[in-house]
């Protein structure tokens, strides 16, 4: 299959180096990272990928592009299917529809979070969790996938818990909960993630200092992999209706159990053999005490089975086939039945 994959970020999406205790050096949305991985996965499964990007990173090297991917700057209208990100590429989609070709768009977050109405989504949209799909009145979804080669699997854990999030949304992601729980129970806590200003970074530093937590700022690549692999548990007490929760899956791939809230897709992603879904403050206390009972191998096995980027790519190919078949049926209907 020939796939036109479109995104509006610099390619590649990450340079593998964090900014530490400095503001974000570049956009780092998970949707961009996953789109890059989808291109890689589709190519490795034998599909031809034309990757439409808006610009390249200054340190871009053509030698780093995986085999099977052609990076382009103008649409390839010879492709069989168009895959973009929801809410973008309206002009391209219109041209694609005029050619009577199938297209899909991945929705990575609740549209209300972006200030949009949920009702404007279409049957072409593929959501990143069943929870998010149902929230928008749909049932099409494909779980996100990650590359195990980017993580370190370890059954030996150090004596700390890890919280990782953008600090601009720290409180909504549960930063206050992990800090108060660490203060109450006295466990070692590492906080990772940065914000868009030095003012926000300084605020988080002070919050961490008060409870003795270690704040490392923005981490990526090997540094992030080592932190995830060494943690006794990954804390994700989000207060948001999470669309997916990529950090939870990164932890599982590292063999690290997850302690999360019951909001959004958390109960969909985290099952009892790999973590604890908490409903009350007491649930978090119990989970902290019992996290060592969970088997790192079970965490890794679930991540490899459900959240591998090859699995994501295969599931999207199935969605391409479904959309292609739907369009074929629609075009075969008499004109009076198209309304």
């Amino acid at each position: 299959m020939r796939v036109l994959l479109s995104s509006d970020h610099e390619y590649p999406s990450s340079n593998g180096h964090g900014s530490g205790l400095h503001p974000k050096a570049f956009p780092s949305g998970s949707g961009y990272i996953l789109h890059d991985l989808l291109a890689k996965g589709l190519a490795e499964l034998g599909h031809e990928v034309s990757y439409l990007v808006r610009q390249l990173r200054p340190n871009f090297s053509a030698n780093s592009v995986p085999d099977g991917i052609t990076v382009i700057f103008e649409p390839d209208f010879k492709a069989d299917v168009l895959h973009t990100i929801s809410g973008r590429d309206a002009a391209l989609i219109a041209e694609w529809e005029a050619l009577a070709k199938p297209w899909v768009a991945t929705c990575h977050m609740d549209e209300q979070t972006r200030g949009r109405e949920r009702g404007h989504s279409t049957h072409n949209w593929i959501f990143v969790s069943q929870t998010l799909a149902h929230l928008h009145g749909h049932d099409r979804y494909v779980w996100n996938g990650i590359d195990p080669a980017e993580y370190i699997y370890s059954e030996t854990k150090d004596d700390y818990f890890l919280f990782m999030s953008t600090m601009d949304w720290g409180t909504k992601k549960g930063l206050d909960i992990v800090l108060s729980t660490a203060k109450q129970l006295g466990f070692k806590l590492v906080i990772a993630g940065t914000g868009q200003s030095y003012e926000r970074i300084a605020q988080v530093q002070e919050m961490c200092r008060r409870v003795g937590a270690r704040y490392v700022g923005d981490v990526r690549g090997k540094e992030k992999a080592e932190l995830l692999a060494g943690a006794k548990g990954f804390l994700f007490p989000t207060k948001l209706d999470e669309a997916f929760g990529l950090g939870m899956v990164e932890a599982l791939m590292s063999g690290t159990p997850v302690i999360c809230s019951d909001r959004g897709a958390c109960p969909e992603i985290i099952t009892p053999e790999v973590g604890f879904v908490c409903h009350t403050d007491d649930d978090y206390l119990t989970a902290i005490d019992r996290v060592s009972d969970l088997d790192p191998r079970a965490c890794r096995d679930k991540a490899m089975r459900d959240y591998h980027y090859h699995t994501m790519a295969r599931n999207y190919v199935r969605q391409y086939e479904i959309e292609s078949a739907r369009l074929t049926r629609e075009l075969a209907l008499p004109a009076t039945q198209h309304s």
Side-chain angles (χ1 to χ4, degrees):
M1 181 178 292
R2 294 175 298 175
V3 181
L4 172 57
L5 197 60
S6 176
S7 188
D8 58 359
H9 69 287
E10 289 185 344
Y11 179 79
S13 59
S14 176
N15 62 8
H17 302 288
S19 59
L21 297 176
H22 298 280
K24 296 177 183 178
F26 47 84
S28 58
S30 62
Y32 300 145
I33 297 169
L34 293 163
H35 231 49
D36 285 3
L37 269 178
L38 175 58
K40 179 182 175 182
L42 290 170
E44 289 176 352
L45 294 177
H47 302 281
E48 298 179 26
V49 180
S50 296
Y51 201 175
L52 178 62
V53 299
R54 301 311 185 257
Q55 65 183 100
L56 303 175
R57 288 200 181 281
N59 61 350
F60 170 79
S61 170
N63 294 329
S64 66
V65 179
D67 292 342
I69 298 176
T70 302
V71 175
I72 59 176
F73 301 95
E74 295 293 335
D76 173 14
F77 289 101
K78 294 180 180 179
D80 300 312
V81 63
L82 166 66
H83 186 164
T84 185
I85 297 175
S86 62
R88 299 165 197 183
D89 288 327
L92 176 58
I93 290 172
E95 290 184 85
W96 203 259
E97 288 183 328
L99 296 172
K101 286 191 171 186
W103 65 273
V104 300
T106 296
C107 181
H108 288 274
M109 63 189 299
D110 185 350
E111 287 295 288
Q112 283 192 353
T113 305
R114 303 181 184 185
R116 303 170 182 164
E117 293 295 328
R118 290 174 180 157
H120 83 281
S121 56
T122 74
H123 61 77
N124 307 73
W125 282 27
I126 314 299
F127 297 84
V128 295
S129 66
Q130 186 178 45
T131 301
L132 186 64
H134 288 174
L135 198 62
H136 289 75
H138 293 274
D139 58 7
R140 299 179 72 175
Y141 72 96
V142 170
W143 282 336
N144 289 327
I146 58 177
D147 186 351
E150 297 178 2
Y151 301 90
I152 300 168
Y153 170 64
S154 176
E155 297 182 3
T156 303
K157 302 300 179 182
D158 295 326
D159 188 25
Y160 67 87
F161 287 83
L162 176 65
F163 174 82
M164 184 170 63
S165 169
T166 171
M167 291 301 122
D168 295 316
W169 286 28
T171 301
K172 293 180 179 179
K173 292 286 188 175
L175 175 61
D176 56 331
I177 295 175
V178 298
L179 290 175
S180 63
T181 305
K183 182 178 181 180
Q184 180 177 351
L185 297 181
F187 59 80
K188 294 180 181 179
L189 176 64
V190 176
I191 304 293
T194 188
Q196 295 184 347
S197 70
Y198 282 107
E199 180 182 7
R200 180 55 182 163
I201 292 170
Q203 290 173 345
V204 175
Q205 282 183 303
E206 177 59 20
M207 293 168 68
C208 291
R209 185 195 64 78
R210 291 174 186 169
V211 302
R214 181 162 68 97
Y215 180 43
V216 297
D218 182 47
V219 292
R220 300 174 195 269
K222 182 180 178 182
E223 185 179 9
K224 181 172 78 169
E226 290 175 344
L227 275 176
L228 285 163
K232 291 175 63 176
F234 182 80
L235 304 179
F236 194 66
T238 181
K239 303 170 188 176
L240 298 171
D241 289 327
E242 295 290 336
F244 184 77
L246 191 63
M248 296 189 293
V249 171
E250 293 179 310
L252 296 182
M253 191 65 79
S254 310
T256 300
V258 174
I259 298 173
C260 63
S261 75
D262 59 357
R263 297 295 298 270
C266 292
E268 179 183 340
I269 305 303
I270 300 304
T271 49
E273 77 275 13
V274 300
F276 298 91
V277 176
C278 300
H279 307 279
T280 67
D281 291 343
D282 286 344
D283 287 344
Y284 287 112
L285 304 183
T286 300
I288 294 291
D289 184 57
R290 295 181 51 201
V291 72
S292 297
D293 296 342
L294 299 179
D295 184 2
R297 172 52 62 182
C299 297
R300 175 75 171 192
D301 288 348
K302 179 173 177 58
M304 291 291 286
R305 180 181 66 251
D306 295 337
Y307 309 123
H308 194 293
Y309 73 103
H310 281 171
T311 301
M312 174 178 66
R314 289 189 187 95
N315 288 336
Y316 272 117
V317 170
R318 177 59 182 151
Q319 292 296 333
Y320 302 158
E321 293 169 346
I322 290 172
E323 189 57 29
S324 179
R326 185 202 64 78
L327 183 60
T328 298
R329 290 194 303 271
E330 183 177 287
L331 293 174
L333 291 174
T336 56
Q337 297 184 39
H338 278 277
S339 58

